[in-house]
């Protein structure tokens, strides 16, 4: 009996590495497709991991994540998406319209969970918000819709400004109408790539613009911190969507909390890993809005921020 038990023990020991390798292979892998760079996505990654953890998945313990960063080179996204499909990941997370389009073109079977400021029906990604159909679902954030409110906040802080510049990559009719309602002359500055930033900002003195509203556009979203630093260098009161903008020197930010959207994405990925179908998961809208004011920048610009505005802010950077 002892000899048989010893041989059986040897067999079990020999099987352990095989069992461990089998379990490792069985660990689901998530593909994370992002047009930006790791430096600009740390908080978003943390929020995504939080959502995953709330759904019962922890990176390195029972799930693995393959990160793909295009580093602002959107032409790399289709190749990256195809690589994730080739690796047979369980789910693809796609951030922003270029990433979603690349993932959608790469697979019709692997579930895709997206996040972005977009109308996913209008751009043809899903059939309906309630029942997306196909292999795609995700979360949307308020972006273009908040443009008029950003203009109002900036005008409230610089009420003497008779003209406001709008940095856009596409025209926003709502903001133009809001400017006219406030009695402000809008000046459109177009920028379709990072190469256009310097020339756009160089035009501000000629326009005598008293402030700058930056529109919600993928080209600006991926360069939030750079734009914040530019507005500080050019000494222009400005407002954009994300907190990172104000933290980098922009005067104010007002918009949907991107981290909240990524947390919801993490939760959806967890549900899909447990067997739910993306076609049955309604598209969610991240509705948490945050208003940030950089008082240090206001002081550098010679602006006094009324107490009433400070009290409405979710965060005041001093």
């Amino acid at each position: 009996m002892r000899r048989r038990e010893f041989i059986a023990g040897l067999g079990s020991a020999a099987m352990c590495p095989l069992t461990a390798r089998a379990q490792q292979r069985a660990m689901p892998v998530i593909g994370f497709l992002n047009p930006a760079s790791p430096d600009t996505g740390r908080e978003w990654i943390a929020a995504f991991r939080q959502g995953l953890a709330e759904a019962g998945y922890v990176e390195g313990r029972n799930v693995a994540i393959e990160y793909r960063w295009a580093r602002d080179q959107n032409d790399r996204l289709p190749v990256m998406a195809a690589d994730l499909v080739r690796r047979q990941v369980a789910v693809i997370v796609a951030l922003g319209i270029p990433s979603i389009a690349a993932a959608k073109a790469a697979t019709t079977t692997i579930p895709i969970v997206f996040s972005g400021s977009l109308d996913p029906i209008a751009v043809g990604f899903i059939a309906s918000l309630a029942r997306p159909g196909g292999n795609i679902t995700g979360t949307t954030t308020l972006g273009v819709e908040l443009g008029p409110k950003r203009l109002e906040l900036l005008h409230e802080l610089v009420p003497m400004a008779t003209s406001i510049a709008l940095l856009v990559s596409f025209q926003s009719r709502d903001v133009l109408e809001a400017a006219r309602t406030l009695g402000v002359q809008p000046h459109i500055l177009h920028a379709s790539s990072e190469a256009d930033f310097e020339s756009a900002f160089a035009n501000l003195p000629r326009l005598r613009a008293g402030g700058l509203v930056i529109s919600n556009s993928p080209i600006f979203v991926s360069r939030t911190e750079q734009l914040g630093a530019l507005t500080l260098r050019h000494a222009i009161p400005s407002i954009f969507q994300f907190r990172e903008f104000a933290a980098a020197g922009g005067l104010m930010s007002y918009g949907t909390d991107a981290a909240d959207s990524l947390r919801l994405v993490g939760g959806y990925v967890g549900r899909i890993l447990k067997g739910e179908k993306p076609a049955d998961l309604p598209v969610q809208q991240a509705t948490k809005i945050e208003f940030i004011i950089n008082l240090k920048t206001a002081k550098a610009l010679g602006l006094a921020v009324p107490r009433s505005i400070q009290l409405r802010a979710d965060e005041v950077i001093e």
Side-chain angles (χ1 to χ4, degrees):
M1 286 293 292
R2 290 179 181 176
R3 184 172 181 273
R4 283 197 294 270
E5 289 170 359
F6 176 72
I7 292 172
L10 286 177
S12 298
M15 287 295 291
C16 283
L18 294 175
T19 303
R21 283 196 294 271
Q23 290 174 342
Q24 190 173 17
R25 282 196 300 270
M27 182 183 292
V29 178
I30 301 165
F32 196 95
L33 193 61
N34 194 323
S37 64
D39 293 337
T40 60
R42 290 176 187 149
E43 291 187 17
W44 298 353
I45 291 295
F48 173 67
R49 287 173 177 155
Q50 179 188 345
L52 269 181
E54 291 170 358
Y57 290 92
V58 177
E59 183 179 8
R61 183 187 301 170
N62 58 354
V63 71
I65 304 177
E66 288 274 351
Y67 297 97
R68 297 291 183 273
W69 304 91
R71 299 180 185 274
D72 301 324
Q73 299 178 45
N74 289 344
D75 58 334
R76 299 174 59 191
L77 290 168
V79 175
M80 292 178 170
D83 179 57
L84 292 173
V85 172
R86 198 161 42 246
R87 291 173 181 268
Q88 298 182 323
V89 296
V91 185
I92 295 176
V93 173
L95 306 188
I97 292 177
S99 293
I100 305 166
K104 186 176 187 295
T107 179
T108 58
T109 55
I110 296 176
I112 298 169
V113 183
F114 66 79
S115 174
S117 298
L118 73 158
D119 181 342
I121 300 175
V123 295
F125 290 149
I126 60 171
S128 77
L129 296 177
R131 296 188 65 83
N135 63 320
I136 302 178
T137 189
T139 67
T140 63
T141 59
L142 295 171
V144 175
E145 302 91 337
L146 297 179
K149 181 61 177 178
R150 294 189 192 104
L151 177 59
E152 290 175 19
L153 287 169
L154 186 60
H155 183 256
E156 187 175 352
L157 193 54
V158 286
M160 301 304 292
T162 57
S163 66
I164 297 289
L166 308 175
L167 184 64
V168 304
S169 63
F170 55 86
Q171 200 105 317
S172 177
R173 185 177 301 172
D174 290 346
V175 178
L176 291 175
E177 291 177 354
R180 295 188 186 100
T181 300
L182 293 171
V184 173
Q185 175 65 42
H187 295 286
I188 303 297
L189 295 174
H190 286 280
S192 57
S193 70
E194 183 179 4
D196 299 327
F197 289 179
E198 287 293 347
S199 60
F201 276 84
N203 278 321
L204 289 170
R206 178 180 61 81
L207 297 174
R208 299 179 182 273
L212 175 69
V213 177
I214 301 175
S215 71
N216 188 67
S217 169
I219 187 68
F220 302 146
V221 169
S222 63
R223 293 164 177 82
T224 298
E225 295 179 6
Q226 179 185 352
L227 288 167
L230 275 170
T231 62
L232 182 61
R233 175 152 61 89
H234 287 267
I236 181 76
S238 53
I239 188 167
F240 188 37
Q241 178 169 354
F242 300 110
R243 181 195 180 279
E244 291 83 1
F245 174 78
L251 178 61
M252 295 185 290
S253 66
Y254 181 83
T256 307
D257 183 358
D260 182 49
S261 177
L262 267 293
R263 183 184 59 79
L264 295 175
V265 167
Y268 259 12
V269 170
R271 290 174 64 175
I272 289 171
L273 291 176
K274 290 177 180 178
E276 293 190 58
K277 304 297 183 185
D280 301 327
L281 295 174
V283 172
Q284 303 179 88
Q285 184 171 75
T287 57
K288 182 182 176 183
I289 305 294
E290 57 179 8
F291 175 34
I292 315 296
I293 302 173
N294 189 323
L295 284 186
K296 185 178 180 181
T297 296
K299 184 177 180 180
L301 295 173
L303 294 174
V305 181
R307 185 67 177 167
S308 59
I309 294 181
Q310 293 187 43
L311 290 173
R312 282 148 53 195
D314 297 280
E315 180 182 354
V316 175
I317 299 173
E318 298 188 75

